Amino acid sequence: MTRPGITTHLILICGAIFMTLPVWVAFATSTHAPETILREGLQILPGGHFFETYKEVLFVEGGVMKKVTATTMMKNSMILGIGFAVGKVIISMLAAYAIVYFRFRLAVPLFWIIFMTLLLPLEVRIIPSYEVVAGMGLLDTYTGLIVPLIASATGTFFFRQFFRSVPDELLEAARLDGASAWGFFIDILVPLSKTMIAAILIIMFVVGWNQYLWPLIMTTKEENYTLVIGIKQIYQVLSEGGELPQFQKAFALTILATLPPVLVVLIFQNWFVKGLVESEK
Amino acid sequence: MSGVTLNSVRKTYPNGAEAIRGVDMQINSGELIVFVGPSGCGKSTLLRMVAGLESISDGQIKIGDRVINDVSPSERDVAMVFQNYALYPHMSVRGNMSYGLKNRKMPKDEIERRVNEAAAMLKIDQFLDRQPNQLSGGQRQRVAMGRAIVRNPQVFLFDEPLSNLDAKLRVQMRIEIKKLQRRMDVTSIYVTHDQTEAMTLADRLAVINEGRIEQMGAPMELYSDPKTLFVASFIGAPQINLLPVRYDGTQLSNGSLAFTGFADLPQDTDLVLGVRPDMLRHDPEGQFELRVDLVEQHGGENLVYGALLGARDAEGDDLEICLKGPQDLLPEMETVLRLGFDPSAAFVFRKDTGERLL
Ligand SMILES: Nc1ncnc2c1ncn2[C@@H]1O[C@H](COP(=O)(O)OP(=O)(O)OP(=O)(O)O)[C@@H](O)[C@H]1O
Ligand SMILES: [Mg+2]
């Protein structure tokens, strides 16, 4: 392989700028005073209002929305993201375990039924799901927010593929060692799936964090809003309100909303790579 | 300790494959039995039925006096060593060895004691905190043995445990397994398709062919007194020389070759004459000639391969035979050696049934 030349670098740099510039503009603009933004539009250079804006967004109720702070919304998003990711991993691992290791007659048809739900996005079943959740009195609860989302064909599929690659002898050795079905799962399969679990957690956390439609119709009270909904609402308030539009706060909220997924990816990525290297034979 | 008894055991897989077609066997307490046979003959299936990893379609298996047909693998009190070791990759050596004991709710200090003892016996004590992927193949093999030993089982089961090791290590581990088995005096079943391994390890050998026991006995008994053509050709390396022949009332003949010294054989059927390479002698007065193709020097002895002049095999081609001779027997290629053998030591089989006649 030849050393990458100057053109390669130029292309890469252009690509990187192209990808990150909008994020940077959002950040820079969020640190200016509302008057500046109104007068001069988007900003490339950071201004002097960083602490002021972020403090208000994070801690002052009615700073942006009327009743909630970004801290509350962030907490809600966090609970949704984590609950969504953890729930999906648990449900799909258990489903895949049953399908791969228990020889019941319906295993194969069941798997294909689960697999087919991949074709049906949430939007298709959103009305019935809403009916059920509302009927159970779970609107505006975390349970109602998370549980209907965690059944996961994708996760089941990935874990199934992984479990099938685990040598049968491991199961046999564990059976001779007196491990129960549950023991084999907890003691052997879960530790072996560490890498897979980390990968699915990362992906699912980001997906959960970015959920929009379901939280939107599920939550009626402002204090239950997630960040993603909050951003949408804030722009609405901005365009309707009679006062000076608070664009800097909207941008601050956007930046705050992107931070946790970015952090999760950065932190777990290390794990992920380490897991891959360790399990290598 | 207790023996293992198999009573007309059968196995039919759900797909209809008949893997075991009626096996009766009595394994005495403390005995090391080796199952040998060609690939697909059902060795592993039979072993796994004893382990409880395959169900028993018909018949009965007993360990000691207890019928274990419906006993779960972990309660049969057997331990198994797998071909690819099947170590738990995420657990340390210690974790691997103690997992089965923990599941049996054994007290911590007893587990500790047993693991340390087994590790010392197998010389893996310095690796106890390593993970399997930080060990060599031979060391992994020892850990797999250790995992079996700590359980202190009634029966050891080995399924080709050495086939992933290089030749030298295989010999070394073979000796160690034998010593260990002697020392612990545990009834053992060992599956292999390597006939040297089979001959050297076994107290008794069971030659399996197409799901049946072809013959069972001490290694030398099977070597010098095979009951069938299959056993004769399977046991012994290099392989026995087999010549298709007919009997005409006085001698055995193949093409222009004739062998005298045989009597009381049927004349109406194809026969097979079996002569082991070490029964053949270089003999100027001998009955037949060999055109040398290849000489293999094995150190203490030489193997001479070549075509038997005047004879044809079943397809009508040259008949290749092998002769085992002393290390000074070094004929040039293409030279012709005159050979002889003692007819009373040779075997004669019926070709159709494989039954031994002489
Ligand atoms: N799970 C299974 N389902 C159906 N047939 C099987 C199964 N396992 C083995 N068999 C068949 O049973 C027969 C015996 O297989 P087995 O694995 O016992 O052979 P083996 O003697 O151990 O061979 P090898 O030396 O290659 O390991 C084979 O014909 C094989 O195709
Ligand atoms: Mg086998």
Side-chain angles (χ1 to χ4, degrees):
Chain A
M1 215 171 70
T2 53
R3 273 178 63 84
I6 188 134
T7 10
T8 323
H9 276 110
L10 270 180
I11 294 173
L12 270 177
I13 290 168
C14 287
I17 291 177
F18 184 74
M19 302 290 280
T20 50
L21 196 62
V23 181
W24 173 253
V25 169
F27 174 73
T29 310
S30 74
T31 59
H32 282 271
E35 299 81 9
T36 326
I37 304 172
L38 200 61
R39 233 181 304 116
E40 299 169 18
L42 297 175
Q43 302 292 313
I44 282 286
L45 298 175
H49 292 256
F50 175 80
F51 289 105
E52 193 186 318
T53 312
Y54 280 80
K55 210 164 86 190
E56 205 179 331
V57 170
L58 278 172
F59 304 114
V60 181
E61 288 174 11
V64 204
M65 320 285 299
K66 264 134 247 139
K67 289 203 204 111
V68 290
T69 62
T71 322
T72 313
M73 290 192 287
M74 199 172 253
K75 188 190 81 192
N76 291 338
S77 283
M78 215 46 142
I79 291 173
L80 173 60
I82 293 174
F84 181 85
V86 172
K88 272 201 188 253
V89 165
I90 294 178
I91 292 282
S92 50
M93 274 188 95
L94 288 173
Y97 183 49
I99 287 170
V100 174
Y101 287 97
F102 293 80
R103 304 228 170 82
F104 54 102
R105 215 174 315 147
L106 291 178
V108 176
L110 275 181
F111 172 73
W112 286 110
I113 289 173
I114 295 176
F115 193 67
M116 261 157 55
T117 61
L118 262 183
L119 304 174
L120 304 176
L122 172 72
E123 287 71 16
V124 176
R125 57 178 172 90
I126 205 156
I127 308 283
S129 297
Y130 181 84
E131 274 297 318
V132 172
V133 172
M136 293 167 73
L138 290 173
L139 292 182
D140 275 316
T141 62
Y142 290 127
T143 321
L145 187 63
I146 294 167
V147 172
L149 296 179
I150 61 177
S152 171
T154 334
T156 309
F157 179 73
F158 281 126
F159 280 113
R160 169 183 177 263
Q161 295 308 93
F162 177 75
F163 291 168
R164 282 161 60 114
S165 75
V166 172
D168 285 345
E169 282 86 356
L170 278 191
L171 172 65
E172 294 172 348
R175 283 177 67 193
L176 285 165
D177 267 343
S180 60
W182 191 239
F184 175 67
F185 182 69
I186 297 290
D187 296 339
I188 316 270
L189 274 188
V190 171
L192 284 181
S193 320
K194 257 191 337 214
T195 322
M196 277 290 292
I197 294 176
I200 293 189
L201 275 180
I202 297 173
I203 298 167
M204 290 307 172
F205 177 80
V206 176
V207 173
W209 181 274
N210 289 331
Q211 282 297 312
Y212 177 66
L213 192 56
W214 181 249
L216 183 68
I217 67 166
M218 266 297 301
T219 50
T220 53
K221 303 200 187 89
E222 275 193 0
E223 65 262 30
N224 289 327
Y225 280 0
T226 61
L227 264 182
V228 179
I229 301 177
I231 294 172
K232 175 72 178 71
Q233 303 293 7
I234 215 177
Y235 281 110
Q236 219 158 335
V237 173
L238 287 178
S239 50
E240 289 164 2
E243 32 183 320
L244 193 57
Q246 305 281 309
F247 282 116
Q248 85 283 15
K249 291 181 187 162
F251 283 124
L253 210 55
T254 314
I255 293 294
L256 288 176
T258 56
L259 271 185
V262 169
L263 285 180
V264 164
V265 170
L266 284 182
I267 295 167
F268 272 79
Q269 194 188 35
N270 270 337
W271 253 49
F272 190 54
V273 173
K274 220 165 63 190
L276 281 180
V277 173
E278 268 173 12
S279 65
E280 200 145 277
K281 279 262 165 82
Chain B
M1 288 305 127
S2 38
V4 178
T5 314
L6 281 70
N7 286 328
S8 33
V9 168
R10 291 174 175 277
K11 173 74 189 180
T12 310
Y13 279 108
N15 67 358
E18 273 188 85
I20 300 295
R21 309 170 186 214
V23 166
D24 289 287
M25 192 184 291
Q26 171 66 52
I27 301 174
N28 303 324
S29 174
E31 205 176 16
L32 200 168
I33 293 287
V34 174
F35 292 172
V36 270
S39 187
C41 69
K43 313 180 286 292
S44 300
T45 303
L46 197 54
L47 187 81
R48 291 162 55 81
M49 286 163 83
V50 177
L53 299 172
E54 297 291 354
S55 62
I56 299 162
S57 308
D58 197 17
Q60 202 181 48
I61 299 183
K62 286 201 271 189
I63 295 181
D65 294 325
R66 186 163 75 128
V67 177
I68 48 140
N69 284 36
D70 297 318
V71 177
S72 78
S74 60
E75 280 154 20
R76 292 189 180 193
D77 211 3
V78 301
M80 183 153 167
V81 177
F82 295 84
Q83 176 171 3
N84 60 5
Y85 320 131
L87 298 176
Y88 311 121
H90 59 290
M91 291 185 194
S92 65
V93 169
R94 188 189 300 279
N96 267 284
M97 288 170 69
S98 51
Y99 185 62
L101 304 181
K102 273 187 202 146
N103 283 330
R104 284 181 173 66
K105 308 269 181 306
M106 189 178 280
K108 271 220 171 66
D109 43 344
E110 171 70 6
I111 296 182
E112 179 81 13
R113 194 186 62 73
R114 286 200 186 191
V115 169
N116 289 339
E117 194 183 289
M121 201 191 302
L122 291 162
K123 303 187 193 80
I124 47 173
D125 23 6
Q126 68 268 44
F127 309 126
L128 276 177
D129 295 313
R130 289 211 201 158
Q131 303 231 318
N133 60 5
Q134 299 163 336
L135 298 177
S136 71
Q139 289 160 350
R140 282 182 212 184
Q141 181 58 54
R142 284 165 199 268
V143 177
M145 303 257 306
R147 186 168 64 179
I149 291 175
V150 290
R151 297 254 309 272
N152 208 353
Q154 301 266 11
V155 183
F156 274 146
L157 304 172
F158 300 89
D159 194 351
E160 310 208 18
L162 304 182
S163 52
N164 285 350
L165 301 178
D166 66 57
K168 190 160 164 242
L169 205 52
R170 208 177 304 162
V171 175
Q172 194 183 329
M173 285 304 291
R174 185 171 84 202
I175 295 169
E176 272 185 52
I177 289 182
K178 180 88 175 173
K179 280 195 202 151
L180 203 68
Q181 195 268 344
R182 282 274 165 281
R183 181 145 126 215
M184 303 193 48
D185 197 27
V186 178
T187 313
S188 305
I189 306 178
Y190 188 107
V191 164
T192 180
H193 59 239
D194 178 326
Q195 66 101 22
T196 320
E197 220 168 277
M199 294 288 282
T200 50
L201 273 174
D203 291 325
R204 280 190 302 151
L205 266 176
V207 179
I208 301 181
N209 185 23
E210 296 187 345
R212 290 195 189 83
I213 306 277
E214 193 82 18
Q215 189 177 350
M216 192 163 170
M220 276 323 287
E221 183 186 328
L222 265 60
Y223 182 81
S224 52
D225 187 18
K227 294 277 180 273
T228 64
L229 181 56
F230 181 84
V231 174
S233 62
F234 199 80
I235 302 291
Q239 240 202 350
I240 190 168
N241 298 302
L242 297 171
L243 286 72
V245 288
R246 298 280 300 200
Y247 187 60
D248 64 5
T250 52
Q251 56 186 14
L252 289 171
S253 59
N254 174 324
S256 58
L257 273 186
F259 305 96
T260 51
F262 296 93
D264 294 331
L265 289 166
Q267 300 185 22
D268 50 358
T269 181
D270 284 340
L271 303 175
V272 176
L273 174 64
V275 185
R276 294 215 182 266
D278 52 2
M279 294 177 187
L280 288 171
R281 289 182 322 270
H282 175 42
D283 175 4
E285 327 272 68
Q287 292 175 308
F288 53 91
E289 290 174 323
L290 172 80
R291 192 185 62 238
V292 178
D293 289 338
L294 176 73
V295 181
E296 272 182 359
Q297 295 183 271
H298 285 252
E301 76 218 7
N302 289 350
L303 297 178
V304 181
Y305 296 89
L308 192 57
L309 293 183
R312 290 273 166 260
D313 68 9
E315 278 86 47
D317 296 328
D318 278 355
L319 203 111
E320 281 283 324
I321 63 166
C322 171
L323 147 77
K324 191 191 261 188
Q327 70 201 64
D328 56 3
L329 180 68
L330 261 176
E332 296 287 323
M333 299 296 153
E334 301 292 332
T335 53
V336 173
L337 283 185
R338 187 155 271 279
L339 304 178
F341 65 93
D342 174 8
S344 65
F347 308 133
V348 179
F349 306 92
R350 278 182 78 99
K351 191 175 180 197
D352 47 2
T353 60
E355 180 199 355
R356 182 159 148 227
L357 302 169
L358 279 180

